[in-house]
Amino acid sequence: MTLLDDSIHTRSAPADRPPLDRFDVWTDEMVDAAGIPLHDVPFVSVGGGMGSFVTVDYLRVAGGVPASDIRVLSNLSHPWQTYEHLTRVSQLPRQKRIRSDSASRPDNLWGFPSFAIQEAVARKSVKPLLQVLFEPVFADFYTPELDMVLKGIEREAHRIGYWDMLVQGEVRMVRRRAGGGYFTILENADGRTAFRSRDVHLAVGYAGLRFLPDMQAFRTKLNDFHHVVNGYEDHEHVYEVLRRRPGTVLVRGGGIVTSAVLERLITDRLKYGSQTQIVQLFRTYYDGRHGSHMWSRRPGRNGFAYQGFNYPKSAWGGQLKARMRRLEGSARAEVYDEIGGTTTAWRRHWQRNLAKARKGGWYHTVGGTIQDMRLDGDQMVARIQHAGGVNDLRVDYVIDCTGLDGDVSRHEVLKDLLQHSGATQNPLGRLDVERSFEVRGAGSGIGRVYATGAASFGGYFPGVDTFLGLQISAQEVMDDVARRGYCRRMGAGRSIAQWFKWANGRPV
Amino acid sequence: MVPTLAGRIQTRLFLLAVIGGLVTAALTPILPVDGPLGDRYQATFVVLAAVAVLGIGWELIYHFLMQWRWEKDWPTLFGLLTLVPEGIVVWLLATRDLVPGLPGPVPTEAFTIHFVLVWLAVWLVANGPMRVPFIHWRFRGGRLL
Ligand SMILES: Cc1cc2nc3c(=O)[nH]c(=O)nc-3n(C[C@H](O)[C@H](O)[C@H](O)COP(=O)(O)OP(=O)(O)OC[C@H]3O[C@@H](n4cnc5c(N)ncnc54)[C@H](O)[C@@H]3O)c2cc1C
């Protein structure tokens, strides 16, 4: 394909032609005739969140791709925007510690120096280093403070010229181009623009919040967004009301966000003397080690399944990663089943607070499901089905911490890709990708579409939706682009040189 | 880095050869032992080779033990503490003349200094700096090939 220089062509659209959207494959003439301004760039990354950032960081630093050859198309103004929003509303302010470990550094593709080293130097303290030395057996996993992580990303974004690559707007679709490559349509205040590229990378995150059917029914039937909230949306009003008057909260889930919400409710009670009663509902209640084989037993207690990160640690580089990479179809689905499920981290201070709450008689756990929910005066009645039968529970609030919506058919761009560009879904319903994160079936001549992050879950690598997972995926993408001859490989010498540039904060 | 079996063995051999080799080369002249420098170098490099060869057996054991861990990881501390059993075994073999190629008896003090310093250097490099030249290493369970 020919790549025009950065020029933009504008023509007015003739009224008598059928809209472009109806065609699966577009020619240059069709786009031209539709009057859509055209912009040429070899590599486009759609999303502009953490996945885009980490991928373009890899391409810039390791692949040696100039900023002028990359465009990030996004409705965000900075890559950590969605992440910071989600962490804040789910009770993780900047001074708290995130879930991932010391060497998961989205702002540094080597993971060295780790966050623990950085913190030790900044605070002039060996504590973070000792924690890494003793984790996870004699200490909790070291995890960095959110603030340090975000500042690092900001610094790295400046270093790689992120904002020179960013074009803000809403991406509508990606379509294959006759002759190879793709057109990506972006819409913003200036109207529509078509980006004509060789490759497209998709990192669009989640389609939205996930609500279990009963919650959804309650919210839509009664138009009530006050009593029933999702842990991933702003729900500060719940804590505010509970600090003013006694009440009962039903917390649903057993993951890391549940832990953060419980911690908030418990500390509000301990610190401000609120009189909140907490009931936690687990769909699956774990009370001990669980698993099918003596070599695969996960710890569990008081309802929770415990694990440092959202997958066993070896998913990001050890034997689990190596094993999954070789598995196909149902064998792979089986392993996903074995290692799947909601887990949270065992943290000593969380455990202490939970124990206090349990002892005080204001924190109870149940294993079961909600059959029905209705309003009764200013309260709600939740009908809970559990092992011992069915009970009605009167509560003031329900905080649902069961997650985000990863359904790819609910995302405009991904759905379009499935309908028009040959992409298919994997057994878990997400996009079917190769080991290189190329979307299967969506190739176009010399061009490729890559997908990383939540949309690629269910493939050869399970840890996709984490910082380290995004880096592993980015490395695969870069390796594939290099194999195809469109960027450089990074050998030991250049890697060391690039690392020194990073350490000195010099531009790539 | 969370190791696979192949990664453990490759990383051990590579780091003992490169980092262990550098430390041994620099340290040998100042170790508290008598004898010509050539013999001393022979002794320290034979000990280093013994750690590497026996290490393959040790890695099999560690890999087996790791299977009982749900996360299939190998905590940083384990990588440091395994110095004790490995050191004792090499010392027993070396002082009982069971390591071929040693030019003479191995004094305990010199052995301990050499072994511990090589171990610490390898362990430190494996826990960080190794990631700088080799960006694929940590995602491949420590494999270099
Ligand atoms: C509460 C919480 C805590 C977490 N903690 C950790 C942790 O401690 N460690 C860790 O490793 N991971 C953590 N994660 C996971 C991590 O945040 C994600 O893996 C990562 O942010 C995913 O990046 P992404 O690019 O796929 O999605 P995002 O960062 O969400 O970026 C995608 C963005 O693309 C944009 N977009 C989507 N569609 C379009 C379109 N059509 N046009 C324009 N723009 C579009 C949207 O703004 C969207 O936000 C956490 C996640 C959550 C929710």
Side-chain angles (χ1 to χ4, degrees):
Chain A
M1 78 189 264
T2 50
L3 285 175
L4 307 177
D5 52 37
D6 276 3
S7 56
I8 289 179
H9 313 253
T10 324
R11 298 251 179 89
S12 53
D16 55 338
R17 286 177 204 263
L20 262 184
D21 307 16
R22 287 206 210 142
F23 301 94
D24 288 352
V25 178
W26 297 351
T27 63
D28 293 344
E29 293 72 33
M30 284 160 72
V31 178
D32 202 26
I36 303 175
L38 194 63
H39 188 94
D40 276 310
V41 64
F43 195 95
V44 160
S45 179
V46 178
M50 293 303 299
S52 287
F53 167 71
V54 162
T55 305
V56 302
D57 188 50
Y58 241 97
L59 286 171
R60 296 276 291 114
V61 176
V65 180
S68 57
D69 282 2
I70 300 173
R71 282 295 170 270
V72 177
L73 311 183
S74 174
N75 54 19
L76 305 173
S77 65
H78 49 282
W80 60 94
Q81 195 173 330
T82 299
Y83 171 64
E84 189 181 8
H85 166 77
L86 287 172
T87 47
R88 187 176 51 76
V89 297
S90 66
Q91 303 309 308
L92 201 114
R94 270 192 173 233
Q95 300 71 36
K96 286 241 166 118
R97 292 185 184 272
I98 67 169
R99 188 175 193 182
S100 52
D101 74 350
S102 182
S104 290
R105 279 201 79 142
D107 61 331
N108 168 314
L109 60 90
W110 304 271
F112 180 80
S114 63
F115 280 126
I117 297 179
Q118 185 178 329
E119 187 180 335
V121 172
R123 301 226 157 117
K124 298 194 180 62
S125 156
V126 290
K127 234 180 100 192
L129 299 178
L130 289 179
Q131 192 174 348
V132 171
L133 177 63
F134 291 118
E135 74 181 21
V137 186
F138 301 105
D140 296 339
F141 271 114
Y142 169 88
T143 65
E145 275 179 16
L146 178 61
D147 188 58
M148 181 162 69
V149 178
L150 298 185
K151 281 186 177 144
I153 299 169
E154 185 169 0
R155 170 188 183 266
E156 180 69 354
H158 281 292
R159 203 177 70 88
I160 63 169
Y162 184 82
W163 285 279
D164 298 337
M165 298 183 272
L166 177 67
V167 184
Q168 280 184 268
E170 204 67 46
V171 171
R172 295 295 172 210
M173 67 193 78
V174 176
R175 292 287 171 93
R176 284 169 294 174
R177 171 181 174 273
Y182 303 87
F183 292 105
T184 303
I185 299 292
L186 176 90
E187 199 169 312
N188 56 21
D190 302 334
R192 287 185 154 203
T193 308
F195 287 79
R196 181 165 61 183
S197 65
R198 183 193 66 234
D199 297 336
V200 174
H201 166 241
L202 302 168
V204 291
Y206 284 92
L209 304 178
R210 182 174 68 194
F211 284 95
L212 294 175
D214 50 87
M215 299 272 174
Q216 193 56 49
F218 181 88
R219 277 175 57 128
T220 36
K221 195 171 75 197
L222 298 171
N223 197 21
D224 186 325
F225 296 85
H226 178 81
H227 290 91
V228 175
V229 297
N230 188 300
Y232 294 86
E233 70 187 340
D234 202 340
H235 59 279
E236 196 58 31
H237 66 275
V238 176
Y239 306 105
E240 276 165 15
V241 172
L242 289 171
R243 265 170 69 174
R244 286 201 307 270
R245 63 172 170 81
T248 303
V249 193
L250 179 63
V251 181
R252 205 171 185 193
I256 193 94
V257 169
T258 310
S259 291
V261 165
L262 289 173
E263 173 72 6
R264 169 78 192 266
L265 290 167
I266 293 173
T267 41
D268 273 5
R269 181 162 171 148
L270 295 174
K271 238 174 147 174
Y272 306 110
S274 63
Q275 290 302 307
T276 313
Q277 291 283 331
I278 307 164
V279 181
Q280 185 185 0
L281 181 67
F282 292 96
R283 195 178 45 188
T284 316
Y285 191 97
Y286 297 104
D287 208 8
R289 288 192 159 266
H290 50 278
S292 54
H293 185 271
M294 61 180 180
W295 278 354
S296 54
R297 296 244 158 93
R298 180 163 55 198
R301 205 148 137 201
N302 299 322
F304 292 97
Y306 286 108
Q307 190 169 272
F309 313 104
N310 61 352
Y311 279 100
K313 201 166 182 215
S314 61
W316 289 272
Q319 69 186 58
L320 186 57
K321 176 165 186 284
R323 184 171 156 218
M324 291 290 260
R325 208 178 156 79
R326 291 191 297 266
L327 297 179
E328 298 288 348
S330 60
R332 199 162 76 210
E334 243 170 66
V335 181
Y336 267 102
D337 235 22
E338 193 181 297
I339 61 174
T342 308
T343 64
T344 190
W346 176 279
R347 290 188 184 159
R348 282 160 173 79
H349 68 278
W350 284 353
Q351 291 298 328
R352 275 195 295 274
N353 276 348
L354 286 174
K356 271 186 212 159
R358 224 174 269 125
K359 225 174 121 207
W362 40 275
Y363 165 58
H364 303 275
T365 52
V366 206
T369 51
I370 296 184
Q371 275 193 338
D372 174 52
M373 249 179 336
R374 61 189 162 83
L375 267 182
D376 185 12
D378 203 27
Q379 283 193 309
M380 269 175 306
V381 179
R383 175 154 293 179
I384 296 176
Q385 163 108 49
H386 53 94
V390 179
N391 273 98
D392 281 351
L393 181 73
R394 293 183 77 83
V395 298
D396 297 279
Y397 293 101
V398 178
I399 306 179
D400 181 1
C401 305
T402 53
L404 295 161
D405 183 2
D407 188 344
V408 292
S409 63
R410 274 213 277 272
H411 189 281
E412 188 186 357
V413 177
L414 302 181
K415 185 175 159 199
D416 190 80
L417 201 73
L418 289 165
Q419 285 175 344
H420 296 281
S421 303
T424 54
Q425 284 168 281
N426 67 25
L428 298 186
R430 309 283 176 94
L431 284 184
D432 195 19
V433 296
E434 303 277 357
R435 290 177 182 82
S436 63
F437 291 88
E438 174 189 341
V439 177
R440 278 199 179 129
S444 173
I446 60 163
R448 300 280 179 271
V449 181
Y450 299 99
T452 64
S456 65
F457 181 74
Y460 297 96
F461 167 58
V464 284
D465 191 28
T466 58
F467 299 151
L468 197 59
L470 290 170
Q471 273 181 329
I472 290 174
S473 317
Q475 190 180 74
E476 297 279 3
V477 170
M478 184 207 66
D479 284 344
D480 196 56
V481 175
R483 252 192 310 275
R484 293 164 48 220
Y486 299 116
C487 76
R488 297 175 68 185
R489 283 173 199 285
M490 188 160 75
R494 202 159 64 80
S495 189
I496 294 170
Q498 279 296 335
W499 183 84
F500 274 103
K501 280 193 170 176
W502 179 90
N504 293 317
R506 297 221 326 270
V508 177
Chain B
M1 185 267 296
V2 182
T4 60
L5 179 58
R8 286 175 169 281
I9 295 171
Q10 289 182 21
T11 298
R12 169 179 295 243
L13 296 181
F14 176 82
L15 285 179
L16 279 177
V18 177
I19 304 298
L22 285 173
V23 172
T24 303
L27 190 69
T28 305
I30 51 169
L31 279 177
V33 257
D34 301 325
L37 193 59
D39 282 2
R40 288 201 261 159
Y41 267 120
Q42 187 179 341
T44 50
F45 273 97
V46 165
V47 166
L48 188 66
V51 177
V53 173
L54 290 171
I56 297 174
W58 282 108
E59 295 298 358
L60 290 170
I61 297 174
Y62 302 152
H63 180 73
F64 177 70
L65 293 177
M66 191 174 77
Q67 301 312 310
W68 265 273
R69 296 183 57 74
W70 162 256
E71 307 253 4
K72 304 286 183 279
D73 61 339
W74 197 244
T76 316
L77 186 66
F78 292 8
L80 182 63
L81 291 185
T82 40
L83 161 157
V84 179
E86 289 205 32
I88 290 173
V89 169
V90 181
W91 178 79
L92 283 174
L93 294 176
T95 49
R96 276 156 190 69
D97 212 14
L98 291 167
V99 178
L102 282 175
V106 173
T108 301
E109 191 189 350
F111 171 85
T112 310
I113 295 171
H114 176 224
F115 184 86
V116 170
L117 287 182
V118 166
W119 193 280
L120 282 179
V122 165
W123 175 77
L124 281 174
V125 172
N127 278 295
M130 183 71 177
R131 302 199 288 263
V132 172
F134 306 111
I135 56 170
H136 293 94
W137 175 77
R138 64 169 166 158
F139 301 144
R140 293 185 182 162
R143 274 191 306 118
L144 285 152
L145 302 173

